[in-house]
Amino acid sequence: MKKKNKRILIVRPDRIGDVVLSTPLPREIKKRFPDCYVAVMVREYAKDVYLNNPFADEIIIYDANKPFLKTVKTIRKFGFTHALMLLPDERINYLLFFAGIPYRVGVGHKLYQFLTFARYVDRKKYNPLRHEADYSLDLARKIGVDSNDYTPEIYLSEEEKKISEIRRKELLSRKKFLIGINSTSGGSAPNWNAERYRKLIELLLSDDNIRVAVTDLEPPESLSGIDNVVYPNVNSALRNSIINFSALDLLVSASTGPMHLCAALKVKTVSLFCPMTACSPKLWGPLGNNNKIILPEENYCKYKCPGDPKKCEYKDSELVTPERVFEEISAMLNKE
């Protein structure tokens, strides 16, 4: 009897940056099992990360408000043989169990996984500390994928590439470099306040070769309406923003989804980071692009940090300053 080809579901129902870091899995799974079927299940707002991905055969939208049994029925019709749950979630665990997927892999030691006979991978309290994308690939390794390539990728269609080129020319307006500034982070990581970003923008505008693009969906009031600054992503759909990000030469931001989007598009990044384990660039840094990580002084977190990295604005840091970031941007551009 011919052995049934694997039908694999990858589940990542959380933030855009996390979804970007899951993109190596379909690619590496297909390398190991060329004839397998791979689907991804993500939330509606993150689905554009996987559009045009040649290794994802299907994008399934996860809606936590959809009735449980209707979701089970939707999943069951695909006949999946394997499911990889990259985020511990009790409801999703039971959805996959009742959908009849025989081989399910989750993260950590959860009671609901034990009750449903799910396999698991253990992060062992991040010791040794590895990248989130590498930890995610552990679930694929559990089903026989032998790979250490966890570089994320976002794929533009040929039409989208043409649109990107046109927009780049329009946004540059005879300047040489298009520099993106993404000032907001949704409280997910240490970040400057808007005034610090305003100072950086002023420094960038002093260079006649640079056009500044503020890439926030909703820019702070103090960063809105600045002369000679463009705002391509205001109220934009995610896929349209992705095309705009691809037109940049470099993006400045905290550790956020736009940073990961740009890295996956091979756009340069300069990123503000914190050395604490939960926020570490070793765990969350950009992958696959030319990048520069900006960290505070060695003992900053011990003596000057407010205690909660999400409240940190690097106020007293002498290394995480607009002047320092401007110097790093200039150095990266001058290498071209």
Side-chain angles (χ1 to χ4, degrees):
M1 180 182 295
K2 184 178 179 180
K3 190 174 181 179
K4 184 179 180 181
N5 289 334
K6 290 179 171 60
R7 297 179 64 83
I8 302 168
L9 175 64
I10 299 167
V11 186
R12 187 87 223 203
D14 44 346
R15 297 172 300 182
I16 289 171
D18 301 286
V19 174
V20 172
L21 295 180
S22 74
T23 58
L25 271 75
R27 181 190 67 227
E28 300 309 303
I29 289 171
K30 290 270 189 170
K31 286 180 183 177
R32 175 63 179 86
F33 307 110
D35 297 326
C36 75
Y37 179 92
V38 176
V40 296
M41 187 162 73
V42 296
R43 294 186 186 271
E44 173 72 28
Y45 68 82
K47 72 178 189 304
D48 287 356
V49 171
Y50 269 104
L51 288 184
N52 296 319
N53 189 307
F55 305 105
D57 298 298
E58 184 76 31
I59 302 172
I60 302 171
I61 303 303
Y62 174 68
D63 182 355
N65 297 316
K66 185 176 179 180
F68 186 89
L69 291 179
K70 282 189 176 181
T71 305
V72 167
K73 185 177 180 181
T74 297
I75 299 171
R76 181 182 286 274
K77 71 180 183 180
F78 288 96
F80 292 116
T81 59
H82 297 73
L84 311 180
M85 298 173 281
L86 275 61
L87 176 73
D89 185 289
E90 186 170 6
R91 184 175 189 269
I92 290 175
N93 176 80
Y94 285 116
L95 285 171
L96 303 181
F97 173 72
F98 286 107
I101 303 175
Y103 195 109
R104 288 157 284 111
V105 186
V107 177
H109 306 269
K110 305 294 182 182
L111 177 60
Y112 54 79
Q113 291 174 328
F114 173 78
L115 293 175
T116 54
F117 310 105
R119 281 82 165 178
Y120 68 89
V121 296
D122 192 349
R123 294 192 173 190
K124 298 177 181 176
K125 297 183 178 179
Y126 295 106
N127 188 20
L129 185 62
R130 295 185 282 134
H131 201 281
E132 173 66 23
D134 193 12
Y135 286 120
S136 297
L137 196 56
D138 279 346
L139 281 81
R141 294 178 181 120
K142 189 78 173 180
I143 64 171
V145 174
D146 182 16
S147 173
N148 290 312
D149 183 359
Y150 46 87
T151 306
E153 291 183 275
I154 292 176
Y155 299 87
L156 300 182
S157 68
E158 291 304 314
E159 181 62 26
E160 287 174 328
K161 291 176 183 178
K162 292 177 183 177
I163 294 172
S164 176
E165 291 176 2
I166 292 170
R167 287 186 185 170
R168 174 177 170 79
K169 291 179 182 178
E170 292 174 347
L171 294 170
L172 273 171
S173 185
R174 298 183 182 178
K175 300 286 186 176
K176 185 176 181 181
F177 300 111
L178 184 61
I179 307 301
I181 303 290
N182 205 92
S183 67
T184 52
S185 63
S188 62
N191 198 9
W192 278 340
N193 57 33
E195 286 68 32
R196 287 285 190 92
Y197 280 108
R198 176 86 185 215
K199 175 61 177 177
L200 175 61
I201 290 171
E202 291 171 356
L203 290 169
L204 291 168
L205 290 176
S206 69
D207 188 325
D208 290 336
N209 289 318
I210 290 176
R211 172 70 71 192
V212 176
V214 172
T215 59
D216 302 270
L217 292 177
E218 298 180 8
E221 185 176 350
S222 61
L223 299 185
S224 300
I226 302 174
D227 289 343
N228 298 316
V229 172
V230 292
Y231 300 84
N233 290 346
V234 173
N235 298 322
S236 176
L238 178 58
R239 193 67 187 182
N240 188 61
S241 293
I242 287 173
I243 295 171
N244 291 335
F245 281 125
S246 73
L248 299 175
D249 289 290
L250 183 148
L251 178 78
V252 180
S253 72
S255 173
T256 64
M259 177 196 72
H260 291 296
L261 290 171
C262 283
L265 291 163
K266 306 301 183 274
V267 172
K268 296 181 181 68
T269 52
V270 175
S271 311
L272 312 183
F273 264 91
C274 168
M276 295 179 66
T277 299
C279 305
S280 168
K282 193 168 184 180
L283 179 63
W284 293 109
L287 294 172
N289 68 329
N290 184 354
N291 63 77
K292 178 67 179 180
I293 302 298
I294 306 295
L295 288 166
E297 298 83 340
E298 185 175 352
N299 293 318
Y300 179 84
C301 294
K302 184 176 181 181
Y303 297 110
K304 298 180 180 180
C305 181
D308 182 351
K310 295 179 181 180
K311 296 179 180 179
C312 178
E313 294 182 348
Y314 307 103
K315 284 184 177 179
D316 299 314
S317 173
E318 296 179 0
L319 294 180
V320 189
T321 64
E323 292 79 8
R324 163 86 187 286
V325 172
F326 178 66
E327 289 175 1
E328 296 294 349
I329 293 170
S330 299
M332 293 178 76
L333 296 181
N334 287 334
K335 288 181 179 179
E336 294 189 355

